[in-house]
Amino acid sequence: MKHWTTTRILKSKGVKRIACLTAYDAAMARLVDEAGIHVILVGDSVANTLLGFDTTLPVTMEHMLHHTAAVVRGVSNALVVADMPFMSYQVSDDEGVRNAGRLLQEAGADAVKLEGGVIRAPLIRRLAENGIPVMAHIGLTPQSVLALGGYKVQGREADAAAQLEADAKAVAEAGAFSVVLECVPAALASRITEIVPIPTIGIGAGAGCDGQILVMHDMLGMTPAGSTAKFVRRFAEVGEAITNATREYVRDVEAGTYPAAEHSYK
Ligand code: KIV
């Protein structure tokens, strides 16, 4: 059995902060798993980080199955949560159940994540009742970027804040084992954390959440420095290291100094 299960995540509330990161392939998943990450999200942010899209909307079930299965192969201890892509659960709850089941059955995910609050509570209840653990996602929900008019902080006005509180309560009552709060003012995220019985996982939601999640490529410094959001801390500059190593390799190949004698077979 893995160290990190959905029940352990639930029991961590108020006891231990939960550290989550995205990953999209076996090699990176293995590294962050070995470093002790608690939850790996195979995010539909694969659209932006790996696939070169501007939004998460083009991501399909086939993409998510492919990347989730790769991550699962690299992980021993972290809980693996697979994002449900745009249009895999919006058309009907029946389709939502079928597609969530595929992420567990075909790709080996431990749980799924889907976007939406009150409106998704019936689907979350059905999934939970059928043994499919759900991480909910409210606040800035990137699959609705066209309707939201861009990637903006959510819940600043009183009515929007009240709606977010209602969303958090609804997903918790429906049986979600945790809820991501994305781009929410810190005070509101702390209040939601106090009123719901499940762990809140913040991204751009301040330090008052029960856990934090970041997109791996942002946190490792693999995205252009000027383009990272205010809430991202770049814990490393891996992008710069890759560029520098590649420049050195090109130079050495051109100069004929690589491969050297020690890299050649006798
Ligand atoms: O797809 C993703 O990476 C996410 C996180 C930003 C929470 O949904």
Side-chain angles (χ1 to χ4, degrees), residues 7-237:
T7 45
R8 185 159 176 208
I9 296 293
L10 259 169
K11 283 188 194 152
S12 299
K13 186 167 177 94
V15 179
K16 180 181 171 79
R17 289 204 177 85
I18 303 155
C20 319
L21 266 183
T22 67
Y24 316 95
D25 64 74
M28 296 300 262
R30 183 172 294 115
L31 289 176
V32 298
D33 188 55
E34 282 171 6
I37 199 76
H38 308 146
V39 177
I40 296 179
L41 169 69
V42 189
D44 59 358
S45 52
V46 67
N48 318 87
T49 53
L50 293 197
L51 302 179
F53 293 119
D54 287 338
T55 73
T56 56
L57 304 188
V59 175
T60 63
M61 275 300 295
E62 274 51 51
H63 289 128
M64 292 312 302
L65 288 165
H66 175 82
H67 288 280
T68 302
V71 166
V72 167
R73 287 192 286 272
V75 170
S76 302
N77 286 316
L79 185 85
V80 177
V81 180
D83 238 342
M84 296 198 65
F86 182 56
M87 281 298 118
S88 69
Y89 57 99
Q90 286 88 345
V91 175
S92 72
D93 287 359
D94 284 350
E95 277 192 27
V97 175
R98 165 69 58 210
N99 285 321
R102 290 187 71 196
L103 289 164
L104 269 59
Q105 197 170 42
E106 296 175 35
D110 299 311
V112 298
K113 177 169 83 57
L114 53 82
E115 298 182 6
V118 171
I119 189 177
R120 296 293 165 225
L123 173 58
I124 293 172
R125 180 164 291 109
R126 252 184 88 181
L127 292 170
E129 282 171 0
N130 283 291
I132 301 179
V134 182
M135 175 181 272
H137 182 162
I138 63 172
L140 172 56
T141 45
Q143 289 174 13
S144 304
V145 63
L146 301 178
L148 295 173
Y151 298 100
K152 303 172 187 163
V153 177
Q154 304 294 305
R156 282 203 199 274
E157 311 299 331
D159 55 345
Q163 180 60 52
L164 276 180
E165 287 187 20
D167 284 335
K169 282 186 195 157
V171 299
E173 276 161 21
F177 75 91
S178 59
V179 56
V180 170
L181 306 179
E182 180 164 355
C183 284
V184 172
L188 174 60
S190 295
R191 196 158 69 241
I192 290 175
T193 301
E194 278 168 26
I195 63 176
V196 294
I198 58 173
T200 57
I201 310 294
I203 173 163
C209 296
D210 297 304
Q212 298 292 327
I213 184 160
L214 282 176
V215 168
M216 172 189 276
H217 289 61
D218 291 340
M219 164 278 192
L220 290 181
M222 294 173 77
T223 38
S227 71
T228 37
K230 173 187 167 78
F231 58 79
V232 173
R233 182 192 291 174
R234 294 166 74 98
F235 285 80
E237 289 298 338

Side-chain angles (χ1 to χ4, degrees), residues 245-259:
T246 306
R247 279 204 189 106
E248 207 174 308
Y249 171 68
V250 171
R251 195 194 56 210
D252 289 0
V253 169
E254 284 178 350
T257 54
Y258 177 81

